[in-house]
Amino acid sequence: MQTILWEGMILIGIIYSVFTKNFTNISDAALNSSKEAVSLCITMAGVMSFWCGLMEIATQAGIIEAMSKKMKPVIKFLFPRLDVNHPAAKHITTNIIANVLGLGWAATPAGLKAMEELANLEEERREKERTLPAGEKEAAMQKGVASNEMCNFLIINISSLQLIPVTVIAYRSQYGSVHPTSIVGAGIIATAISTLAGVAFCKIMDRK
């Protein structure tokens, strides 16, 4: 769907430029945007390398593990059916910590591992449910259906609270903002509201 939208916008822009005789401006904008894209990628690569490095240092120093232990009650609240000592819980915790620090890209590997572990856990549950009667077994063994934990994790990951929106700060700095960190307060409020809404939605759907 996104591909169709982007292709449509590009096509409309080209057609409009031809009819308004501004095709030269379109060509210049495309070239300038290409240069800006490369410059932005280099800037973001440096920023994310720095923060990913700090995350790795925190992991090696045992800080992430210590924080994971303190977050066990939170994980138990968000994922009541998940054992807090399950490997998925550790990856979920790492993902949440990275997201709170605004390291969306650094949170991705932990998020993928968490989803993989949750999928394996759901498969184990399905294996145990093979002894159910035919009707219940068919309902319980639906392949490709995400578990409650997987859905909850996806929602929390997307709506995550961010104390330091590193990516947005880097964008603002790249494009000449006088106070690139002035977005921090608004970011905390917006992501706190989205997180509360996400958690509330998960809890309502879990009860259903």
Side-chain angles (χ1 to χ4, degrees):
M1 187 62 183
Q2 289 184 355
T3 302
I4 296 174
L5 290 175
W6 280 107
E7 289 177 350
M9 288 189 290
I10 292 172
L11 184 60
I12 291 172
I14 293 173
I15 294 173
Y16 180 80
S17 67
V18 171
F19 279 102
T20 57
K21 299 181 180 179
N22 288 325
F23 195 75
T24 302
N25 293 335
I26 294 293
S27 300
D28 292 340
L31 293 174
N32 291 332
S33 297
S34 299
K35 290 191 293 184
E36 283 189 18
V38 174
S39 177
L40 182 61
C41 285
I42 294 173
T43 300
M44 294 307 299
V47 172
M48 297 312 298
S49 296
F50 171 73
W51 283 103
C52 287
L54 286 182
M55 283 292 291
E56 183 62 25
I57 292 172
T59 301
Q60 295 296 329
I63 297 175
I64 299 297
E65 184 176 353
M67 293 178 69
S68 298
K69 291 180 180 178
K70 292 182 179 181
M71 286 186 64
K72 283 185 177 181
V74 177
I75 299 300
K76 188 64 179 177
F77 171 74
L78 296 174
F79 307 93
R81 294 178 62 202
L82 179 65
D83 184 357
V84 292
N85 296 316
H86 191 273
K90 179 181 179 181
H91 297 308
I92 290 173
T93 303
T94 303
N95 176 270
I96 291 175
I97 293 171
N99 274 325
V100 168
L101 296 176
L103 309 177
W105 293 352
T108 301
L112 293 175
K113 290 180 180 178
M115 276 295 187
E116 183 178 352
E117 291 292 344
L118 290 174
N120 292 336
L121 178 60
E122 187 64 15
E123 186 63 27
E124 291 175 4
R125 288 174 179 168
R126 290 196 181 104
E127 289 292 334
K128 293 179 181 179
E129 290 168 346
R130 290 182 185 276
T131 57
L132 292 173
E136 296 180 19
K137 176 181 176 181
E138 183 178 354
M141 296 280 295
Q142 295 180 38
K143 295 285 186 179
V145 177
S147 64
N148 281 9
E149 290 83 2
M150 296 171 73
C151 293
N152 291 356
F153 174 63
L154 180 61
I155 292 171
I156 292 169
N157 179 61
I158 293 172
S159 64
S160 177
L161 171 68
Q162 288 191 10
L163 300 180
I164 310 173
V166 175
T167 303
V168 178
I169 292 173
Y171 284 146
R172 288 168 60 84
S173 178
Q174 172 71 13
Y175 289 106
S177 174
V178 179
H179 301 291
T181 57
S182 62
I183 194 68
V184 172
I188 292 174
I189 294 173
T191 54
I193 293 173
S194 66
T195 300
L196 289 174
V199 171
F201 177 80
C202 290
K203 288 301 176 183
I204 291 171
M205 297 307 295
D206 275 346
R207 290 184 178 181
K208 290 185 177 182

